[in-house]
Coordinates of all heavy atoms in Angstrom, one line a residue:
M110 N -16.6 35.2 0.8 CA -15.3 34.6 1.2 C -15.5 33.0 1.2 O -16.5 32.6 1.8 CB -15.0 35.1 2.6 CG -13.7 34.6 3.1 SD -13.3 35.5 4.6 CE -11.8 34.7 5.0
R111 N -14.7 32.3 0.6 CA -14.8 30.9 0.5 C -14.1 30.2 1.7 O -13.1 30.7 2.1 CB -14.3 30.4 -0.9 CG -13.2 29.6 -0.9 CD -12.8 29.2 -2.4 NE -11.4 29.2 -2.6 CZ -10.7 28.1 -2.3 NH1 -11.3 27.0 -1.9 NH2 -9.4 28.1 -2.4
A112 N -14.7 29.1 2.2 CA -14.1 28.4 3.3 C -12.9 27.7 2.8 O -12.8 27.2 1.7 CB -15.2 27.4 3.8
A113 N -11.9 27.5 3.7 CA -10.7 26.8 3.4 C -11.0 25.3 3.2 O -11.9 24.7 3.8 CB -9.7 26.9 4.6
M114 N -10.4 24.8 2.2 CA -10.6 23.4 1.8 C -9.6 22.5 2.5 O -8.5 23.0 2.8 CB -10.4 23.3 0.3 CG -10.9 22.1 -0.3 SD -10.6 22.0 -2.1 CE -12.0 23.0 -2.7
T115 N -10.0 21.3 2.8 CA -9.1 20.4 3.4 C -8.6 19.4 2.3 O -9.4 18.9 1.5 CB -9.8 19.6 4.5 OG1 -10.2 20.5 5.5 CG2 -8.8 18.6 5.2
W116 N -7.3 19.2 2.3 CA -6.7 18.2 1.3 C -6.2 17.0 2.1 O -5.9 17.1 3.2 CB -5.6 18.9 0.6 CG -5.9 19.9 -0.4 CD1 -7.2 20.3 -0.8 CD2 -5.0 20.8 -1.1 NE1 -7.1 21.3 -1.7 CE2 -5.8 21.6 -1.9 CE3 -3.7 20.9 -1.1 CZ2 -5.2 22.6 -2.8 CZ3 -3.1 21.8 -2.0 CH2 -3.9 22.6 -2.8
R117 N -6.2 15.9 1.4 CA -5.6 14.6 1.9 C -4.3 14.3 1.1 O -4.3 14.3 -0.1 CB -6.6 13.5 1.8 CG -6.1 12.2 2.4 CD -7.2 11.4 2.9 NE -6.7 10.3 3.7 CZ -6.6 10.3 5.0 NH1 -6.8 11.4 5.6 NH2 -6.1 9.3 5.6
V118 N -3.2 14.1 1.9 CA -2.0 13.8 1.2 C -1.6 12.4 1.6 O -1.6 12.0 2.7 CB -0.9 14.8 1.8 CG1 0.5 14.5 1.2 CG2 -1.3 16.2 1.5
E119 N -1.2 11.6 0.5 CA -0.8 10.2 0.7 C 0.5 10.0 0.0 O 0.7 10.5 -1.1 CB -1.9 9.3 0.2 CG -3.2 9.5 1.0 CD -4.3 8.6 0.4 OE1 -4.5 8.6 -0.8 OE2 -5.0 7.9 1.2
V120 N 1.3 9.1 0.6 CA 2.6 8.7 0.0 C 2.4 7.2 -0.2 O 2.2 6.5 0.8 CB 3.8 9.0 0.8 CG1 5.0 8.5 0.1 CG2 3.9 10.6 0.9
D121 N 2.6 6.6 -1.4 CA 2.6 5.2 -1.6 C 3.9 4.7 -1.3 O 4.9 4.9 -2.0 CB 2.2 4.9 -3.1 CG 2.1 3.4 -3.4 OD1 2.8 2.6 -2.7 OD2 1.4 3.1 -4.4
A122 N 4.0 4.0 -0.1 CA 5.3 3.5 0.4 C 6.0 2.5 -0.6 O 7.2 2.4 -0.6 CB 5.1 2.8 1.8
K123 N 5.2 1.8 -1.4 CA 5.8 0.8 -2.3 C 6.4 1.5 -3.5 O 7.3 1.0 -4.1 CB 4.7 -0.1 -2.8 CG 4.2 -1.1 -1.7 CD 3.2 -2.0 -2.2 CE 2.7 -2.9 -1.1 NZ 1.6 -3.7 -1.5
Q124 N 5.9 2.7 -3.8 CA 6.5 3.5 -4.9 C 7.6 4.4 -4.5 O 8.5 4.7 -5.3 CB 5.4 4.3 -5.6 CG 4.5 3.5 -6.6 CD 3.6 4.4 -7.3 OE1 2.4 4.3 -7.1 NE2 4.1 5.3 -8.2
C125 N 7.5 4.9 -3.3 CA 8.5 5.9 -2.8 C 9.9 5.4 -2.8 O 10.2 4.3 -2.4 CB 8.1 6.4 -1.4 SG 9.2 7.6 -0.7
M126 N 10.8 6.2 -3.4 CA 12.2 5.8 -3.4 C 13.1 6.6 -2.4 O 14.3 6.6 -2.5 CB 12.7 6.0 -4.8 CG 12.6 7.3 -5.4 SD 12.9 7.4 -7.2 CE 14.7 7.8 -7.2
A127 N 12.4 7.4 -1.5 CA 13.1 8.1 -0.5 C 14.1 9.1 -1.0 O 15.2 9.3 -0.5 CB 13.7 7.2 0.5
S128 N 13.7 9.8 -2.1 CA 14.6 10.8 -2.7 C 14.8 12.1 -1.8 O 15.7 12.8 -1.8 CB 14.1 11.3 -4.1 OG 13.0 12.1 -3.9
G129 N 13.7 12.3 -1.0 CA 13.8 13.5 -0.1 C 13.3 14.8 -0.7 O 13.2 15.8 -0.1
M130 N 12.9 14.7 -2.0 CA 12.4 15.9 -2.7 C 11.2 16.6 -1.9 O 11.2 17.8 -1.7 CB 12.0 15.6 -4.1 CG 13.1 15.1 -5.0 SD 14.0 16.3 -5.8 CE 12.8 17.2 -6.8
C131 N 10.3 15.7 -1.5 CA 9.1 16.3 -0.9 C 9.4 16.9 0.5 O 8.9 18.0 0.8 CB 8.0 15.2 -0.6 SG 8.6 13.8 0.3
A132 N 10.3 16.3 1.2 CA 10.7 16.9 2.5 C 11.5 18.2 2.3 O 11.4 19.1 3.2 CB 11.5 15.9 3.3
N133 N 12.2 18.3 1.2 CA 13.0 19.5 0.9 C 12.0 20.6 0.5 O 12.2 21.8 0.9 CB 14.0 19.3 -0.1 CG 15.2 18.5 0.4 OD1 15.6 18.6 1.5 ND2 15.8 17.8 -0.5
I134 N 11.0 20.3 -0.3 CA 10.1 21.3 -0.8 C 9.1 21.7 0.3 O 8.8 22.9 0.5 CB 9.3 20.7 -2.0 CG1 10.2 20.6 -3.2 CG2 8.0 21.6 -2.3 CD1 9.6 19.8 -4.3
A135 N 8.7 20.8 1.2 CA 7.7 21.1 2.2 C 8.0 20.4 3.5 O 7.3 19.4 3.8 CB 6.3 20.8 1.7
P136 N 9.0 20.8 4.2 CA 9.4 20.1 5.4 C 8.3 20.1 6.5 O 8.3 19.2 7.4 CB 10.6 20.8 5.9 CG 10.6 22.1 5.2 CD 9.9 21.9 3.9
E137 N 7.4 21.0 6.4 CA 6.2 21.0 7.4 C 5.2 20.0 7.0 O 4.4 19.7 7.9 CB 5.6 22.4 7.4 CG 6.5 23.5 7.9 CD 7.3 24.1 6.7 OE1 7.2 23.7 5.6 OE2 8.2 24.9 7.0
L138 N 5.2 19.5 5.8 CA 4.2 18.5 5.3 C 4.7 17.1 5.2 O 3.9 16.2 5.3 CB 3.7 19.0 4.0 CG 3.1 20.4 3.9 CD1 2.6 20.7 2.5 CD2 1.9 20.5 4.9
F139 N 6.0 16.9 5.0 CA 6.6 15.6 4.7 C 7.8 15.3 5.6 O 8.6 16.2 5.9 CB 7.0 15.4 3.3 CG 5.9 15.5 2.3 CD1 5.5 16.7 1.8 CD2 5.1 14.4 2.0 CE1 4.5 16.9 0.9 CE2 4.0 14.5 1.1 CZ 3.7 15.7 0.5
V140 N 7.9 14.0 6.0 CA 9.0 13.6 6.8 C 9.7 12.4 6.1 O 9.0 11.5 5.6 CB 8.6 13.1 8.2 CG1 9.8 12.6 9.0 CG2 7.8 14.1 9.0
L141 N 11.0 12.4 6.0 CA 11.7 11.4 5.3 C 12.2 10.4 6.4 O 12.9 10.7 7.3 CB 12.9 11.9 4.5 CG 13.8 10.9 3.7 CD1 12.9 10.3 2.7 CD2 14.9 11.7 3.1
G142 N 11.8 9.1 6.2 CA 12.2 8.0 7.1 C 13.3 7.2 6.4 O 13.9 7.6 5.4
D143 N 13.6 6.1 7.0 CA 14.7 5.2 6.4 C 14.3 4.7 5.0 O 15.2 4.7 4.2 CB 15.0 4.1 7.4 CG 15.7 4.5 8.7 OD1 16.3 5.6 8.6 OD2 15.5 3.9 9.7
A144 N 13.1 4.2 4.9 CA 12.7 3.5 3.7 C 11.9 4.4 2.7 O 11.9 4.1 1.5 CB 12.0 2.2 4.0
H145 N 11.2 5.3 3.3 CA 10.3 6.2 2.4 C 9.9 7.4 3.2 O 10.1 7.5 4.4 CB 9.1 5.4 1.9 CG 8.2 4.8 3.0 ND1 7.3 5.5 3.7 CD2 8.2 3.6 3.6 CE1 6.7 4.8 4.6 NE2 7.2 3.5 4.5
S146 N 9.3 8.3 2.5 CA 8.7 9.5 3.2 C 7.3 9.3 3.6 O 6.6 8.3 3.1 CB 8.9 10.8 2.4 OG 8.1 10.7 1.2
R147 N 6.8 10.2 4.4 CA 5.3 10.1 4.8 C 4.9 11.5 5.1 O 5.7 12.3 5.4 CB 5.1 9.2 5.9 CG 5.8 9.6 7.2 CD 5.5 8.7 8.4 NE 6.2 9.1 9.6 CZ 5.9 10.2 10.3 NH1 4.9 10.9 10.1 NH2 6.7 10.5 11.4
P148 N 3.6 11.7 5.0 CA 3.1 13.0 5.4 C 3.1 13.2 6.9 O 3.0 12.2 7.6 CB 1.6 13.0 4.9 CG 1.3 11.6 4.6 CD 2.5 10.8 4.4
V149 N 3.4 14.4 7.3 CA 3.4 14.7 8.8 C 2.0 14.4 9.3 O 1.8 13.7 10.4 CB 3.8 16.1 9.1 CG1 3.6 16.5 10.5 CG2 5.2 16.4 8.6
T150 N 1.0 14.8 8.6 CA -0.4 14.5 8.9 C -1.1 14.3 7.5 O -0.8 15.1 6.6 CB -1.1 15.5 9.7 OG1 -2.4 15.2 10.0 CG2 -1.1 16.9 9.1
P151 N -2.0 13.3 7.4 CA -2.6 13.1 6.1 C -3.6 14.2 5.6 O -3.8 14.5 4.5 CB -3.3 11.8 6.2 CG -3.5 11.5 7.6 CD -2.4 12.3 8.3
D152 N -4.2 14.9 6.6 CA -5.2 15.9 6.3 C -4.6 17.3 6.6 O -4.2 17.5 7.7 CB -6.5 15.7 7.1 CG -7.2 14.4 6.8 OD1 -7.3 14.1 5.6 OD2 -7.6 13.7 7.7
I153 N -4.6 18.1 5.6 CA -4.0 19.4 5.7 C -4.9 20.5 5.1 O -5.8 20.2 4.4 CB -2.6 19.5 4.9 CG1 -2.9 19.3 3.4 CG2 -1.6 18.5 5.4 CD1 -1.6 19.6 2.5
E154 N -4.6 21.7 5.5 CA -5.3 22.8 4.9 C -4.7 23.0 3.5 O -3.6 22.6 3.2 CB -5.1 24.1 5.7 CG -5.7 24.1 7.1 CD -7.3 24.0 7.0 OE1 -7.9 24.7 6.1 OE2 -7.8 23.3 7.7
E155 N -5.5 23.6 2.6 CA -5.0 23.8 1.2 C -3.6 24.4 1.3 O -3.3 25.4 2.0 CB -6.0 24.9 0.6 CG -6.3 24.6 -0.8 CD -7.3 25.6 -1.3 OE1 -8.4 25.8 -0.6 OE2 -7.1 26.2 -2.3
D156 N -2.7 23.8 0.6 CA -1.3 24.2 0.6 C -0.6 23.9 -0.7 O -0.4 22.7 -1.0 CB -0.5 23.6 1.7 CG 0.8 24.2 2.0 OD1 1.5 24.6 1.1 OD2 1.2 24.2 3.2
E157 N -0.3 24.9 -1.5 CA 0.3 24.7 -2.8 C 1.6 23.9 -2.8 O 2.0 23.2 -3.7 CB 0.6 26.1 -3.4 CG 1.0 26.1 -4.9 CD -0.2 25.8 -5.8 OE1 -1.3 25.9 -5.4 OE2 0.1 25.3 -7.0
R158 N 2.3 23.9 -1.6 CA 3.6 23.1 -1.5 C 3.3 21.7 -1.6 O 4.2 20.9 -2.1 CB 4.3 23.5 -0.2 CG 4.8 24.9 -0.2 CD 5.4 25.3 1.1 NE 4.3 25.1 2.1 CZ 4.6 24.9 3.4 NH1 5.8 24.9 3.9 NH2 3.6 24.8 4.3
A159 N 2.1 21.2 -1.2 CA 1.8 19.8 -1.3 C 1.7 19.4 -2.8 O 2.2 18.3 -3.2 CB 0.5 19.5 -0.6
L160 N 1.1 20.2 -3.6 CA 1.0 20.0 -5.0 C 2.4 20.1 -5.7 O 2.7 19.2 -6.5 CB 0.1 21.0 -5.7 CG -1.4 20.9 -5.3 CD1 -2.2 22.0 -5.9 CD2 -2.0 19.5 -5.6
D161 N 3.2 21.0 -5.2 CA 4.6 21.1 -5.8 C 5.4 19.8 -5.5 O 6.1 19.3 -6.3 CB 5.3 22.3 -5.2 CG 4.7 23.6 -5.6 OD1 4.0 23.7 -6.7 OD2 5.0 24.7 -5.0
A162 N 5.2 19.3 -4.2 CA 5.9 18.1 -3.9 C 5.4 16.9 -4.7 O 6.2 16.1 -5.2 CB 5.7 17.8 -2.4
A163 N 4.1 16.8 -4.9 CA 3.6 15.7 -5.7 C 4.1 15.8 -7.2 O 4.4 14.8 -7.8 CB 2.1 15.8 -5.7
D164 N 4.2 17.1 -7.7 CA 4.6 17.3 -9.1 C 6.1 16.9 -9.2 O 6.5 16.4 -10.3 CB 4.5 18.7 -9.5 CG 3.0 19.2 -9.6 OD1 2.1 18.3 -9.6 OD2 2.8 20.4 -9.6
C165 N 6.9 17.1 -8.2 CA 8.4 16.9 -8.3 C 8.8 15.5 -7.9 O 10.0 15.2 -8.1 CB 9.1 17.9 -7.4 SG 8.9 19.6 -8.0
C166 N 7.9 14.7 -7.3 CA 8.3 13.4 -6.8 C 8.8 12.5 -8.0 O 8.0 12.3 -8.9 CB 7.1 12.7 -6.1 SG 7.5 11.0 -5.6
P167 N 10.0 12.1 -8.0 CA 10.5 11.3 -9.1 C 9.9 9.9 -9.3 O 9.9 9.3 -10.3 CB 12.0 11.2 -8.8 CG 12.2 11.4 -7.4 CD 11.0 12.3 -7.0
A168 N 9.3 9.4 -8.2 CA 8.6 8.1 -8.2 C 7.1 8.2 -8.4 O 6.4 7.2 -8.5 CB 8.9 7.3 -7.0
V169 N 6.6 9.4 -8.5 CA 5.1 9.7 -8.6 C 4.4 9.0 -7.5 O 3.4 8.3 -7.7 CB 4.6 9.4 -10.0 CG1 3.2 9.9 -10.2 CG2 5.5 9.9 -11.1
A170 N 4.9 9.1 -6.3 CA 4.4 8.3 -5.1 C 3.4 9.2 -4.3 O 2.8 8.6 -3.4 CB 5.6 7.8 -4.2
I171 N 3.3 10.5 -4.5 CA 2.5 11.4 -3.7 C 1.2 11.7 -4.4 O 1.2 12.0 -5.6 CB 3.2 12.7 -3.4 CG1 4.5 12.4 -2.7 CG2 2.3 13.6 -2.6 CD1 5.4 13.6 -2.5
T172 N 0.1 11.5 -3.7 CA -1.2 11.9 -4.2 C -1.8 12.9 -3.3 O -1.8 12.7 -2.1 CB -2.1 10.6 -4.3 OG1 -1.5 9.6 -5.1 CG2 -3.5 11.0 -4.9
V173 N -2.4 13.9 -3.9 CA -3.1 15.0 -3.1 C -4.6 15.0 -3.6 O -4.8 15.0 -4.8 CB -2.5 16.4 -3.3 CG1 -3.2 17.4 -2.5 CG2 -1.0 16.4 -3.0
S174 N -5.5 14.9 -2.7 CA -6.9 14.9 -3.0 C -7.6 16.0 -2.3 O -7.3 16.4 -1.2 CB -7.6 13.5 -2.6 OG -6.9 12.4 -3.2
D175 N -8.7 16.5 -3.0 CA -9.5 17.6 -2.3 C -10.5 17.0 -1.3 O -10.5 15.7 -1.2 CB -10.1 18.5 -3.3 CG -11.2 17.9 -4.2 OD1 -11.7 16.8 -3.8 OD2 -11.5 18.4 -5.2
D176 N -11.2 17.8 -0.7 CA -12.2 17.3 0.3 C -13.3 16.5 -0.2 O -14.1 15.9 0.5 CB -12.7 18.4 1.2 CG -13.3 19.6 0.5 OD1 -13.4 19.5 -0.7 OD2 -13.8 20.5 1.2
E177 N -13.5 16.5 -1.6 CA -14.5 15.7 -2.2 C -13.9 14.4 -2.8 O -14.6 13.6 -3.4 CB -15.1 16.5 -3.3 CG -15.9 17.7 -2.8 CD -16.5 18.5 -3.9 OE1 -16.3 18.2 -5.1 OE2 -17.2 19.5 -3.6
G178 N -12.6 14.1 -2.5 CA -12.0 12.9 -3.0 C -11.4 13.0 -4.4 O -10.9 12.0 -4.9
N179 N -11.5 14.1 -5.0 CA -10.9 14.3 -6.4 C -9.4 14.5 -6.3 O -8.9 15.3 -5.5 CB -11.5 15.5 -7.1 CG -13.0 15.5 -7.2 OD1 -13.5 14.5 -7.6 ND2 -13.6 16.5 -6.7
V180 N -8.7 13.7 -7.1 CA -7.2 13.8 -7.1 C -6.8 15.1 -7.8 O -7.2 15.3 -9.0 CB -6.6 12.6 -7.8 CG1 -5.1 12.8 -8.0 CG2 -6.9 11.3 -7.1
I181 N -6.1 15.9 -7.1 CA -5.7 17.2 -7.7 C -4.1 17.3 -7.9 O -3.6 18.2 -8.4 CB -6.2 18.4 -6.8 CG1 -5.7 18.3 -5.4 CG2 -7.7 18.5 -6.9 CD1 -6.0 19.5 -4.5
G182 N -3.4 16.3 -7.4 CA -2.0 16.3 -7.5 C -1.5 14.8 -7.5 O -2.1 14.0 -6.9
P183 N -0.5 14.5 -8.3 CA 0.3 15.5 -9.1 C -0.5 16.0 -10.3 O -1.5 15.4 -10.8 CB 1.5 14.7 -9.6 CG 1.0 13.2 -9.6 CD 0.0 13.2 -8.5
R184 N -0.1 17.2 -10.7 CA -0.8 17.9 -11.8 C -0.3 17.4 -13.1 O 0.9 17.0 -13.2 CB -0.6 19.4 -11.7 CG -1.3 20.0 -10.4 CD -0.9 21.4 -10.2 NE 0.4 21.4 -9.5 CZ 0.9 22.5 -8.8 NH1 0.1 23.5 -8.6 NH2 2.0 22.4 -8.3
P185 N -1.2 17.4 -14.1 CA -0.7 16.9 -15.5 C 0.3 17.8 -16.1 O 0.4 18.9 -15.8 CB -2.0 16.8 -16.3 CG -3.1 17.5 -15.5 CD -2.6 17.7 -14.1

């Protein structure tokens, strides 16, 4: 049995256009503010919805990294 991996979720506030896509896809992971969204917490358990949000972000402002620092989202 493999141990659960921790991922780091970041939103580039300068790139974010506050579309709300991430908060709609994963409201437990993202909060939409006045100017941009942000992760509820930057360190999360492995969660496919974080990758889905990064993939769908129209501004490509979300980055998801694994516990070794490798960028895994958005996916190519």
Side-chain angles (χ1 to χ4, degrees):
M110 183 173 179
R111 113 182 146 83
M114 197 181 275
T115 302
W116 289 354
R117 182 152 192 89
V118 179
E119 298 175 311
V120 176
D121 184 333
K123 292 179 182 175
Q124 280 186 247
C125 179
M126 57 191 270
S128 73
M130 299 271 302
C131 58
N133 285 329
I134 291 170
E137 298 85 6
L138 303 177
F139 296 93
V140 180
L141 183 60
D143 291 336
H145 58 82
S146 68
R147 64 177 175 78
V149 172
T150 181
D152 297 316
I153 64 169
E154 292 297 316
E155 220 176 310
D156 192 326
E157 190 72 20
R158 293 173 304 157
L160 294 175
D161 292 342
D164 293 345
C165 292
C166 177
V169 193
I171 301 170
T172 303
V173 183
S174 303
D175 66 17
D176 59 355
E177 295 177 358
N179 301 308
V180 175
I181 57 174
R184 296 170 278 204

